[in-house]
Amino acid sequence: MAGSRTAVAMIAAAAGALSAPASAADCMTDWGLAGQIVRRENLITVEEVAKSLAADGVGTLVKMTLCRSDDGYFYRLVIRGPAGELKTTIMTARVR
């Protein structure tokens, strides 16, 4: 699990990991539907991302949105850093 945490934190900290940002139509606003996709596709969970960010000192997860591109599923994250600043980044949803 520790390796998974480090991988999540490194990916979350790297902005621009995907080639093109998704439009609003490519992202889910309904976490009931998004949760079904996360389970079906065996994607990393919100809980795993939040724990990893905190454990690795990256910050606290404020908001997470599941999106889809031609490359697959990814998350848009808003993270509150250790100094209280807000950062927006994206990460792949398939870290397992």
Side-chain angles (χ1 to χ4, degrees):
M1 180 75 171
S4 174
R5 273 189 251 146
T6 301
V8 171
M10 288 180 2
I11 292 169
L18 297 174
S19 57
S23 69
D26 297 322
C27 294
M28 317 261 162
T29 56
D30 178 357
W31 266 101
L33 176 59
Q36 291 175 16
I37 293 169
V38 168
R39 286 186 293 281
R40 182 182 70 228
E41 300 291 326
N42 196 32
L43 304 176
I44 190 165
T45 66
V46 173
E47 180 181 10
E48 290 170 317
V49 172
K51 284 182 180 180
S52 173
L53 293 171
D56 291 340
V58 174
T60 305
L61 182 63
V62 175
K63 184 177 179 183
M64 186 164 157
T65 306
L66 179 65
C67 302
R68 182 172 173 85
S69 72
D70 291 340
D71 297 329
Y73 290 101
F74 66 96
Y75 291 118
R76 284 185 180 170
L77 305 175
V78 177
I79 303 165
R80 183 174 309 282
E85 74 284 3
L86 292 176
K87 300 181 269 187
T88 302
T89 191
I90 59 173
M91 66 172 280
T92 182
R94 291 193 182 271
V95 177
R96 294 177 190 221

